[in-house]
Amino acid sequence: MNIAMLSTDQAPPISVPLRFFAVAPLFLLLAAWLIAQSMTDGINPLDNMHSPAMLAATHCITLGFMALVMMGAIQQILPVVVGSPMPASRLVAWFTLLPLVTGTLSLCGGFMLSQPGLLHLAWGLLSLAFVIFISASLTSLALAAAKNATKNAILMAVLALAGTITLGAWMAHGYADGVPLDYRQLATAHISLGLGGWVMLLIIGVSYQVVPMFQLTPNYPARLANTLPPALLAALLSSLVARQFQLMTISELAEGAFWLLAIGFAAITLRLQSHRKRRVADATLSFFRLGMVSLLCAAMLSMLAMIPTIHAYFRSLSIILFICGFAISVIHGMLYKIVPFLVWFHLFRGGITQNVPNMKEIIPEVWIWRHYWLHIATLLAIVLTTMLMEAIWLVIIGLILQGLLLSFAMYTGIAVYSRTLARIEKVEP
Protein backbone atom coordinates (compact mmCIF):
# COMPACT_ATOMS: atom_id res chain seq x y z
CA MET A 1 0.00 0.00 0.00
CA ASN A 2 1.57 3.26 -1.17
CA ILE A 3 0.46 6.37 0.74
CA ALA A 4 3.41 8.55 -0.25
CA MET A 5 1.29 10.58 -2.69
CA LEU A 6 -1.38 11.36 -0.07
CA SER A 7 -1.56 14.65 1.87
CA THR A 8 -1.89 12.82 5.18
CA ASP A 9 -0.99 15.92 7.20
CA GLN A 10 -4.27 17.54 6.11
CA ALA A 11 -6.54 14.68 7.12
CA PRO A 12 -9.58 15.73 9.20
CA PRO A 13 -10.18 14.28 12.69
CA ILE A 14 -11.14 10.63 12.48
CA SER A 15 -14.52 11.46 14.03
CA VAL A 16 -15.55 13.39 10.90
CA PRO A 17 -15.91 10.44 8.49
CA LEU A 18 -16.59 7.80 11.16
CA ARG A 19 -19.78 9.47 12.41
CA PHE A 20 -21.25 9.12 8.90
CA PHE A 21 -20.07 5.52 8.56
CA ALA A 22 -21.47 4.57 11.98
CA VAL A 23 -25.00 5.87 11.31
CA ALA A 24 -25.37 4.65 7.70
CA PRO A 25 -25.94 0.88 8.36
CA LEU A 26 -28.96 1.66 10.55
CA PHE A 27 -30.82 2.79 7.44
CA LEU A 28 -30.48 -0.70 5.95
CA LEU A 29 -32.49 -1.97 8.93
CA LEU A 30 -35.11 0.72 8.40
CA ALA A 31 -35.27 -0.08 4.67
CA ALA A 32 -35.94 -3.74 5.49
CA TRP A 33 -38.83 -2.78 7.77
CA LEU A 34 -40.30 -0.48 5.12
CA ILE A 35 -40.11 -3.19 2.44
CA ALA A 36 -41.99 -5.49 4.82
CA GLN A 37 -44.72 -2.83 5.09
CA SER A 38 -45.09 -2.90 1.30
CA MET A 39 -46.26 -6.53 1.34
CA THR A 40 -49.97 -5.84 0.88
CA ASP A 41 -52.74 -7.20 -1.33
CA GLY A 42 -50.49 -9.87 -2.83
CA ILE A 43 -48.67 -7.34 -5.01
CA ASN A 44 -44.96 -7.89 -5.66
CA PRO A 45 -43.16 -4.84 -4.17
CA LEU A 46 -40.71 -4.79 -7.09
CA ASP A 47 -43.64 -4.43 -9.49
CA ASN A 48 -44.86 -1.37 -7.59
CA MET A 49 -41.70 0.67 -6.93
CA HIS A 50 -43.77 3.88 -6.67
CA SER A 51 -45.80 2.70 -3.69
CA PRO A 52 -45.29 4.84 -0.55
CA ALA A 53 -43.43 2.07 1.30
CA MET A 54 -41.10 1.29 -1.61
CA LEU A 55 -40.40 4.99 -2.23
CA ALA A 56 -39.51 5.31 1.45
CA ALA A 57 -37.35 2.16 1.40
CA THR A 58 -35.52 3.27 -1.76
CA HIS A 59 -34.69 6.66 -0.25
CA CYS A 60 -33.56 4.96 2.96
CA ILE A 61 -30.99 3.10 0.88
CA THR A 62 -29.96 5.92 -1.46
CA LEU A 63 -30.12 8.84 0.99
CA GLY A 64 -29.82 7.17 4.37
CA PHE A 65 -27.16 4.60 3.54
CA MET A 66 -25.37 5.45 0.30
CA ALA A 67 -25.30 9.24 0.60
CA LEU A 68 -24.13 9.12 4.22
CA VAL A 69 -21.20 6.87 3.35
CA MET A 70 -20.29 8.80 0.21
CA MET A 71 -20.44 12.19 1.94
CA GLY A 72 -18.35 10.92 4.84
CA ALA A 73 -15.80 9.54 2.38
CA ILE A 74 -15.57 12.81 0.44
CA GLN A 75 -14.75 14.70 3.63
CA GLN A 76 -11.75 12.39 4.00
CA ILE A 77 -10.80 12.23 0.31
CA LEU A 78 -10.74 15.95 -0.48
CA PRO A 79 -8.03 16.89 2.05
CA VAL A 80 -6.01 13.66 1.75
CA VAL A 81 -6.21 12.85 -1.97
CA VAL A 82 -6.98 16.22 -3.55
CA GLY A 83 -4.91 18.12 -0.97
CA SER A 84 -7.51 20.71 0.02
CA PRO A 85 -9.29 20.48 3.41
CA MET A 86 -12.96 21.28 3.71
CA PRO A 87 -13.54 24.62 5.47
CA ALA A 88 -14.65 24.16 9.10
CA SER A 89 -14.72 20.39 8.67
CA ARG A 90 -16.25 19.62 12.09
CA LEU A 91 -19.08 22.11 11.63
CA VAL A 92 -19.71 20.98 8.06
CA ALA A 93 -19.88 17.37 9.28
CA TRP A 94 -22.45 18.10 11.99
CA PHE A 95 -24.55 20.50 9.90
CA THR A 96 -24.58 17.92 7.12
CA LEU A 97 -25.15 14.76 9.15
CA LEU A 98 -27.95 15.94 11.45
CA PRO A 99 -30.27 17.51 8.82
CA LEU A 100 -29.54 14.65 6.41
CA VAL A 101 -30.60 12.01 8.94
CA THR A 102 -33.67 13.89 10.17
CA GLY A 103 -34.59 14.93 6.62
CA THR A 104 -34.42 11.34 5.37
CA LEU A 105 -36.57 10.13 8.26
CA SER A 106 -39.07 12.94 7.60
CA LEU A 107 -39.17 12.04 3.91
CA CYS A 108 -39.88 8.39 4.70
CA GLY A 109 -42.57 9.41 7.18
CA GLY A 110 -44.10 11.77 4.61
CA PHE A 111 -44.31 8.98 2.03
CA MET A 112 -45.70 6.41 4.47
CA LEU A 113 -48.24 8.68 6.20
CA SER A 114 -49.05 10.94 3.21
CA GLN A 115 -48.30 13.95 5.38
CA PRO A 116 -47.52 17.14 3.42
CA GLY A 117 -46.02 18.72 6.54
CA LEU A 118 -43.40 15.97 6.81
CA LEU A 119 -42.56 16.28 3.12
CA HIS A 120 -42.08 20.04 3.48
CA LEU A 121 -39.87 19.48 6.53
CA ALA A 122 -37.94 16.81 4.61
CA TRP A 123 -37.12 18.87 1.53
CA GLY A 124 -36.15 21.83 3.71
CA LEU A 125 -33.79 19.79 5.92
CA LEU A 126 -32.31 17.85 3.01
CA SER A 127 -31.78 21.04 1.03
CA LEU A 128 -29.97 22.57 4.02
CA ALA A 129 -27.73 19.52 4.40
CA PHE A 130 -26.79 19.32 0.75
CA VAL A 131 -26.36 23.07 0.25
CA ILE A 132 -23.83 23.10 3.10
CA PHE A 133 -22.09 19.96 1.85
CA ILE A 134 -21.99 21.00 -1.81
CA SER A 135 -20.82 24.53 -0.97
CA ALA A 136 -18.02 23.22 1.25
CA SER A 137 -17.00 20.63 -1.35
CA LEU A 138 -16.90 23.16 -4.20
CA THR A 139 -14.90 25.57 -2.03
CA SER A 140 -12.40 22.82 -1.26
CA LEU A 141 -12.15 21.82 -4.91
CA ALA A 142 -11.73 25.44 -6.03
CA LEU A 143 -8.83 25.96 -3.60
CA ALA A 144 -7.12 22.67 -4.50
CA ALA A 145 -3.83 23.05 -6.30
CA ALA A 146 -3.88 19.44 -7.48
CA LYS A 147 -4.94 18.71 -11.04
CA ASN A 148 -5.80 15.05 -11.33
CA ALA A 149 -8.56 12.79 -12.62
CA THR A 150 -9.93 12.11 -9.13
CA LYS A 151 -10.48 15.82 -8.48
CA ASN A 152 -12.26 16.27 -11.82
CA ALA A 153 -14.48 13.24 -11.28
CA ILE A 154 -15.46 14.38 -7.77
CA LEU A 155 -16.24 17.88 -9.09
CA MET A 156 -18.59 16.46 -11.72
CA ALA A 157 -20.15 14.11 -9.17
CA VAL A 158 -20.87 17.01 -6.79
CA LEU A 159 -22.42 19.05 -9.61
CA ALA A 160 -24.60 16.06 -10.55
CA LEU A 161 -25.60 15.81 -6.87
CA ALA A 162 -26.68 19.46 -6.94
CA GLY A 163 -28.97 18.73 -9.90
CA THR A 164 -30.31 15.59 -8.22
CA ILE A 165 -31.20 17.40 -5.01
CA THR A 166 -32.77 20.35 -6.86
CA LEU A 167 -35.09 18.02 -8.77
CA GLY A 168 -35.85 15.96 -5.66
CA ALA A 169 -36.75 19.04 -3.59
CA TRP A 170 -38.90 20.36 -6.44
CA MET A 171 -40.84 17.10 -6.64
CA ALA A 172 -41.25 16.80 -2.85
CA HIS A 173 -42.51 20.38 -2.61
CA GLY A 174 -44.86 19.91 -5.57
CA TYR A 175 -46.18 16.58 -4.29
CA ALA A 176 -46.83 18.01 -0.83
CA ASP A 177 -48.79 20.97 -2.23
CA GLY A 178 -50.53 18.99 -4.98
CA VAL A 179 -48.86 20.98 -7.76
CA PRO A 180 -49.43 19.39 -11.20
CA LEU A 181 -45.93 18.63 -12.47
CA ASP A 182 -44.59 16.14 -14.99
CA TYR A 183 -43.44 13.85 -12.18
CA ARG A 184 -42.52 11.02 -14.55
CA GLN A 185 -40.11 13.21 -16.51
CA LEU A 186 -38.70 14.82 -13.37
CA ALA A 187 -38.25 11.43 -11.70
CA THR A 188 -36.36 10.10 -14.73
CA ALA A 189 -33.95 13.05 -14.59
CA HIS A 190 -33.69 12.78 -10.78
CA ILE A 191 -32.80 9.08 -10.90
CA SER A 192 -30.44 9.49 -13.86
CA LEU A 193 -28.48 12.34 -12.30
CA GLY A 194 -28.44 10.64 -8.91
CA LEU A 195 -27.29 7.21 -10.04
CA GLY A 196 -25.53 7.89 -13.34
CA GLY A 197 -24.02 11.19 -12.24
CA TRP A 198 -23.46 11.43 -8.48
CA VAL A 199 -22.99 7.74 -7.65
CA MET A 200 -21.23 6.57 -10.81
CA LEU A 201 -18.82 9.48 -11.12
CA LEU A 202 -17.89 9.46 -7.44
CA ILE A 203 -17.19 5.72 -7.45
CA ILE A 204 -15.04 6.16 -10.56
CA GLY A 205 -13.10 9.05 -9.04
CA VAL A 206 -12.49 7.21 -5.77
CA SER A 207 -11.58 4.01 -7.64
CA TYR A 208 -8.70 5.80 -9.36
CA GLN A 209 -7.06 6.02 -5.91
CA VAL A 210 -8.49 3.10 -3.93
CA VAL A 211 -8.00 0.32 -6.49
CA PRO A 212 -4.24 0.82 -7.07
CA MET A 213 -3.49 1.76 -3.43
CA PHE A 214 -5.44 -0.88 -1.51
CA GLN A 215 -5.74 -3.64 -4.12
CA LEU A 216 -2.13 -3.31 -5.35
CA THR A 217 -3.05 -3.09 -9.03
CA PRO A 218 -1.47 -1.05 -11.83
CA ASN A 219 -2.83 2.49 -12.18
CA TYR A 220 -5.76 3.23 -14.46
CA PRO A 221 -4.55 4.39 -17.90
CA ALA A 222 -4.11 8.18 -17.75
CA ARG A 223 -6.10 8.85 -20.92
CA LEU A 224 -9.02 6.77 -19.67
CA ALA A 225 -8.94 8.40 -16.23
CA ASN A 226 -9.07 11.90 -17.71
CA THR A 227 -11.68 11.35 -20.41
CA LEU A 228 -14.11 8.84 -18.89
CA PRO A 229 -15.91 11.08 -16.33
CA PRO A 230 -16.62 13.99 -18.71
CA ALA A 231 -17.67 11.53 -21.45
CA LEU A 232 -20.10 9.80 -19.07
CA LEU A 233 -21.56 13.10 -17.88
CA ALA A 234 -21.89 14.39 -21.46
CA ALA A 235 -23.71 11.21 -22.55
CA LEU A 236 -26.00 11.38 -19.51
CA LEU A 237 -26.92 15.04 -20.02
CA SER A 238 -27.37 14.55 -23.77
CA SER A 239 -29.82 11.74 -23.13
CA LEU A 240 -31.83 13.79 -20.65
CA VAL A 241 -31.95 16.92 -22.81
CA ALA A 242 -32.94 14.94 -25.90
CA ARG A 243 -35.69 13.20 -23.92
CA GLN A 244 -36.99 16.57 -22.75
CA PHE A 245 -37.44 17.63 -26.39
CA GLN A 246 -38.92 14.25 -27.36
CA LEU A 247 -35.90 13.35 -29.49
CA MET A 248 -36.10 9.73 -28.42
CA THR A 249 -33.66 8.30 -30.98
CA ILE A 250 -30.93 10.73 -29.91
CA SER A 251 -31.78 10.09 -26.25
CA GLU A 252 -31.43 6.32 -26.67
CA LEU A 253 -28.17 6.66 -28.60
CA ALA A 254 -26.74 8.83 -25.82
CA GLU A 255 -27.99 6.40 -23.17
CA GLY A 256 -26.39 3.53 -25.07
CA ALA A 257 -23.11 5.46 -25.17
CA PHE A 258 -23.32 5.98 -21.40
CA TRP A 259 -23.73 2.27 -20.76
CA LEU A 260 -20.93 1.35 -23.17
CA LEU A 261 -18.62 3.69 -21.24
CA ALA A 262 -19.78 2.09 -17.98
CA ILE A 263 -19.02 -1.35 -19.41
CA GLY A 264 -15.56 -0.09 -20.37
CA PHE A 265 -14.90 1.12 -16.82
CA ALA A 266 -16.01 -2.18 -15.28
CA ALA A 267 -14.00 -4.27 -17.76
CA ILE A 268 -10.80 -2.25 -17.27
CA THR A 269 -11.18 -2.38 -13.48
CA LEU A 270 -11.54 -6.18 -13.59
CA ARG A 271 -8.50 -6.40 -15.88
CA LEU A 272 -6.41 -4.29 -13.50
CA GLN A 273 -7.51 -6.44 -10.57
CA SER A 274 -6.42 -9.56 -12.47
CA HIS A 275 -2.89 -8.09 -12.55
CA ARG A 276 -2.66 -7.25 -8.85
CA LYS A 277 0.70 -7.83 -7.20
CA ARG A 278 -0.69 -9.84 -4.30
CA ARG A 279 -2.78 -12.88 -5.22
CA VAL A 280 -4.08 -13.71 -1.73
CA ALA A 281 -7.88 -13.94 -1.48
CA ASP A 282 -9.33 -10.71 -0.11
CA ALA A 283 -12.97 -10.15 0.86
CA THR A 284 -12.91 -6.40 0.15
CA LEU A 285 -11.55 -7.09 -3.34
CA SER A 286 -14.32 -9.65 -3.86
CA PHE A 287 -16.93 -7.01 -2.96
CA PHE A 288 -15.39 -4.70 -5.55
CA ARG A 289 -15.34 -7.40 -8.24
CA LEU A 290 -18.96 -8.26 -7.50
CA GLY A 291 -19.76 -4.58 -7.99
CA MET A 292 -18.06 -4.50 -11.38
CA VAL A 293 -19.84 -7.67 -12.56
CA SER A 294 -23.15 -6.21 -11.39
CA LEU A 295 -22.43 -3.01 -13.32
CA LEU A 296 -21.85 -5.08 -16.46
CA CYS A 297 -25.17 -6.87 -15.92
CA ALA A 298 -27.03 -3.62 -15.20
CA ALA A 299 -25.60 -2.03 -18.35
CA MET A 300 -26.58 -4.94 -20.56
CA LEU A 301 -30.10 -5.10 -19.10
CA SER A 302 -30.56 -1.36 -19.63
CA MET A 303 -29.51 -1.63 -23.25
CA LEU A 304 -31.86 -4.60 -23.74
CA ALA A 305 -34.67 -2.56 -22.17
CA MET A 306 -34.33 0.00 -24.98
CA ILE A 307 -35.60 -2.65 -27.44
CA PRO A 308 -39.41 -2.17 -27.69
CA THR A 309 -40.19 -5.91 -27.71
CA ILE A 310 -38.24 -6.63 -24.50
CA HIS A 311 -40.20 -6.84 -21.25
CA ALA A 312 -40.20 -3.56 -19.27
CA TYR A 313 -39.13 -5.20 -16.00
CA PHE A 314 -35.57 -5.39 -17.37
CA ARG A 315 -35.34 -1.65 -16.70
CA SER A 316 -36.37 -2.05 -13.06
CA LEU A 317 -34.02 -4.99 -12.62
CA SER A 318 -31.20 -2.92 -14.10
CA ILE A 319 -31.76 -0.11 -11.57
CA ILE A 320 -31.90 -2.61 -8.71
CA LEU A 321 -28.66 -4.27 -9.85
CA PHE A 322 -27.02 -0.85 -10.22
CA ILE A 323 -27.96 0.19 -6.68
CA CYS A 324 -27.69 -3.07 -4.75
CA GLY A 325 -25.22 -4.97 -6.94
CA PHE A 326 -22.86 -2.23 -8.12
CA ALA A 327 -23.06 0.75 -5.75
CA ILE A 328 -23.68 -1.03 -2.45
CA SER A 329 -21.15 -3.79 -3.19
CA VAL A 330 -18.44 -1.21 -3.90
CA ILE A 331 -19.45 0.82 -0.82
CA HIS A 332 -19.19 -2.28 1.38
CA GLY A 333 -15.77 -3.10 -0.05
CA MET A 334 -14.50 0.44 0.43
CA LEU A 335 -15.86 0.71 3.97
CA TYR A 336 -14.17 -2.51 5.06
CA LYS A 337 -10.87 -1.19 3.71
CA ILE A 338 -11.12 2.51 4.58
CA VAL A 339 -12.25 2.17 8.22
CA PRO A 340 -9.33 -0.08 9.30
CA PHE A 341 -6.97 2.20 7.37
CA LEU A 342 -8.32 5.29 9.15
CA VAL A 343 -7.97 3.65 12.57
CA TRP A 344 -4.42 2.49 11.83
CA PHE A 345 -3.42 5.79 10.22
CA HIS A 346 -4.78 8.07 12.96
CA LEU A 347 -3.12 6.01 15.68
CA PHE A 348 0.24 6.37 13.93
CA ARG A 349 -0.49 10.01 13.15
CA GLY A 350 -0.99 10.60 16.87
CA GLY A 351 2.56 9.47 17.53
CA ILE A 352 1.72 5.91 18.57
CA THR A 353 4.24 3.47 17.11
CA GLN A 354 3.91 0.44 19.38
CA ASN A 355 1.05 -1.98 20.07
CA VAL A 356 -0.96 -0.62 17.15
CA PRO A 357 -3.15 -3.41 15.71
CA ASN A 358 -2.57 -4.55 12.15
CA MET A 359 -5.24 -3.35 9.69
CA LYS A 360 -6.55 -6.92 9.29
CA GLU A 361 -6.91 -7.20 13.07
CA ILE A 362 -9.17 -4.17 13.39
CA ILE A 363 -12.19 -5.77 11.68
CA PRO A 364 -12.01 -9.60 11.66
CA GLU A 365 -11.61 -10.92 8.12
CA VAL A 366 -14.05 -13.76 8.81
CA TRP A 367 -16.85 -11.25 9.40
CA ILE A 368 -16.12 -9.51 6.11
CA TRP A 369 -16.30 -12.83 4.23
CA ARG A 370 -19.59 -13.67 5.94
CA HIS A 371 -20.98 -10.33 4.89
CA TYR A 372 -19.78 -10.90 1.32
CA TRP A 373 -21.60 -14.22 0.97
CA LEU A 374 -24.68 -12.80 2.68
CA HIS A 375 -24.66 -9.91 0.21
CA ILE A 376 -24.49 -12.33 -2.74
CA ALA A 377 -27.42 -14.30 -1.28
CA THR A 378 -29.42 -11.06 -0.91
CA LEU A 379 -28.71 -10.10 -4.53
CA LEU A 380 -29.84 -13.53 -5.74
CA ALA A 381 -32.99 -13.18 -3.64
CA ILE A 382 -33.70 -9.79 -5.27
CA VAL A 383 -33.45 -11.37 -8.73
CA LEU A 384 -35.63 -14.29 -7.59
CA THR A 385 -38.25 -11.86 -6.27
CA THR A 386 -38.94 -10.68 -9.83
CA MET A 387 -40.34 -14.18 -10.47
CA LEU A 388 -41.43 -15.34 -6.99
CA MET A 389 -42.96 -12.72 -4.70
CA GLU A 390 -42.36 -14.70 -1.51
CA ALA A 391 -38.59 -14.34 -2.03
CA ILE A 392 -38.93 -10.73 -0.85
CA TRP A 393 -38.73 -12.07 2.69
CA LEU A 394 -35.26 -13.37 1.91
CA VAL A 395 -34.35 -9.85 0.76
CA ILE A 396 -35.73 -8.38 3.98
CA ILE A 397 -33.79 -10.85 6.14
CA GLY A 398 -30.66 -10.22 4.06
CA LEU A 399 -30.89 -6.45 4.55
CA ILE A 400 -31.43 -6.86 8.29
CA LEU A 401 -28.42 -9.15 8.67
CA GLN A 402 -26.26 -6.91 6.49
CA GLY A 403 -27.21 -3.85 8.51
CA LEU A 404 -26.34 -5.67 11.74
CA LEU A 405 -23.04 -7.03 10.39
CA LEU A 406 -21.94 -3.67 9.02
CA SER A 407 -22.93 -1.91 12.26
CA PHE A 408 -20.88 -4.46 14.18
CA ALA A 409 -17.90 -3.86 11.92
CA MET A 410 -18.09 -0.05 12.11
CA TYR A 411 -18.45 -0.01 15.90
CA THR A 412 -15.71 -2.60 16.23
CA GLY A 413 -13.34 -0.29 14.35
CA ILE A 414 -14.32 2.64 16.55
CA ALA A 415 -13.90 0.52 19.69
CA VAL A 416 -10.42 -0.64 18.63
CA TYR A 417 -9.37 2.96 18.10
CA SER A 418 -10.75 4.08 21.48
CA ARG A 419 -9.29 1.12 23.40
CA THR A 420 -5.87 1.52 21.83
CA LEU A 421 -5.77 5.23 22.66
CA ALA A 422 -6.90 4.55 26.24
CA ARG A 423 -4.29 1.81 26.67
CA ILE A 424 -1.47 4.01 25.38
CA GLU A 425 -2.53 6.97 27.52
CA LYS A 426 -2.68 4.71 30.58
CA VAL A 427 0.93 3.52 30.26
CA GLU A 428 2.35 6.93 29.36
CA PRO A 429 3.79 8.90 32.33
Side-chain angles (χ1 to χ4, degrees):
M1 180 175 62
N2 181 15
I3 62 172
M5 300 300 292
L6 303 180
S7 301
T8 53
D9 57 315
Q10 301 194 72
I14 191 172
S15 61
V16 169
L18 285 189
R19 68 187 61 163
F20 288 83
F21 299 162
V23 175
L26 303 179
F27 279 93
L28 293 179
L29 303 178
L30 180 56
W33 180 80
L34 289 167
I35 293 173
Q37 302 309 302
S38 70
M39 297 287 290
T40 57
D41 301 326
I43 298 175
N44 191 328
L46 297 188
D47 290 336
N48 190 22
M49 295 296 292
H50 296 289
S51 68
M54 287 305 293
L55 282 173
T58 300
H59 284 85
C60 261
I61 293 172
T62 55
L63 274 176
F65 177 69
M66 290 167 53
L68 273 174
V69 174
M70 293 162 71
M71 291 163 73
I74 283 182
Q75 296 187 61
Q76 178 73 27
I77 290 167
L78 286 180
V80 174
V81 176
V82 179
S84 180
M86 270 196 171
S89 61
R90 291 179 187 269
L91 286 176
V92 168
W94 280 119
F95 283 98
T96 298
L97 176 66
L98 295 178
L100 177 57
V101 170
T102 53
T104 302
L105 293 175
S106 299
L107 185 66
C108 293
F111 284 138
M112 291 294 292
L113 303 175
S114 298
Q115 287 290 330
L118 286 175
L119 291 175
H120 280 303
L121 177 63
W123 76 258
L125 287 171
L126 291 170
S127 296
L128 172 64
F130 284 108
V131 164
I132 292 172
F133 173 77
I134 291 169
S135 299
S137 299
L138 292 178
T139 300
S140 175
L141 288 163
L143 297 175
K147 294 181 179 180
N148 55 46
T150 293
K151 174 188 172 182
N152 295 334
I154 291 176
L155 173 61
M156 285 179 272
V158 171
L159 293 175
L161 174 63
T164 304
I165 297 307
T166 300
L167 293 172
W170 188 10
M171 285 191 292
H173 180 272
Y175 184 73
D177 286 344
V179 178
L181 299 172
D182 188 350
Y183 289 100
R184 184 181 183 87
Q185 192 84 342
L186 289 173
T188 297
H190 175 68
I191 294 169
S192 299
L193 282 174
L195 299 181
W198 159 239
V199 174
M200 184 76 180
L201 291 173
L202 183 61
I203 286 178
I204 288 173
V206 174
S207 297
Y208 290 160
Q209 299 293 327
V210 169
V211 171
M213 184 173 74
F214 288 127
Q215 300 176 9
L216 303 177
T217 71
N219 290 325
Y220 283 85
R223 182 174 296 179
L224 167 83
N226 289 319
T227 59
L228 180 60
L232 277 165
L233 186 58
L236 179 65
L237 294 177
S238 297
S239 178
L240 291 176
V241 171
R243 182 178 292 273
Q244 180 66 32
F245 290 98
Q246 301 298 314
L247 302 173
M248 300 311 296
T249 300
I250 296 175
S251 177
E252 290 178 356
L253 287 172
E255 183 183 350
F258 174 89
W259 288 117
L260 288 174
L261 290 167
I263 288 172
F265 167 70
I268 289 172
T269 301
L270 290 170
R271 184 178 66 83
L272 291 175
Q273 290 169 337
S274 69
H275 291 86
R276 59 195 298 256
K277 297 175 184 177
R278 196 163 178 252
R279 299 289 179 158
V280 178
D282 184 282
T284 59
L285 173 67
S286 297
F287 266 119
F288 217 100
R289 283 177 169 165
L290 176 61
M292 294 302 112
V293 172
S294 296
L295 178 58
L296 292 173
C297 293
M300 288 185 284
L301 285 172
S302 283
M303 288 192 290
L304 281 174
M306 289 188 284
I307 302 173
T309 56
I310 298 295
H311 198 281
Y313 87 85
F314 277 18
R315 175 73 67 181
S316 297
L317 186 56
S318 170
I319 295 173
I320 292 169
L321 281 176
F322 187 96
I323 294 174
C324 300
F326 167 58
I328 293 182
S329 296
V330 171
I331 287 172
H332 286 336
M334 288 185 176
L335 274 178
Y336 280 124
K337 189 62 76 172
I338 290 173
V339 170
F341 171 74
L342 287 177
V343 171
W344 173 85
F345 163 70
H346 279 276
L347 289 173
F348 268 98
R349 186 189 183 198
I352 302 171
T353 57
Q354 295 181 343
N355 300 319
V356 174
N358 182 280
M359 282 178 57
K360 286 191 173 292
E361 297 172 346
I362 294 170
I363 297 178
E365 183 82 3
V366 63
W367 284 95
I368 305 177
W369 277 114
R370 287 172 182 169
H371 190 172
Y372 171 71
W373 291 112
L374 175 62
H375 185 57
I376 288 181
T378 306
L379 284 177
L380 293 175
I382 291 172
V383 175
L384 182 60
T385 300
T386 62
M387 298 172 282
L388 181 66
M389 187 182 72
E390 287 73 16
I392 195 68
W393 291 108
L394 298 177
V395 177
I396 293 168
I397 293 170
L399 284 174
I400 292 172
L401 294 177
Q402 288 195 67
L404 293 174
L405 272 173
L406 197 56
S407 294
F408 166 81
M410 296 302 101
Y411 291 110
T412 295
I414 294 170
V416 169
Y417 178 78
S418 301
R419 284 200 307 267
T420 305
L421 273 184
R423 185 174 67 247
I424 297 299
E425 290 172 356
K426 185 176 181 180
V427 300
E428 285 181 350

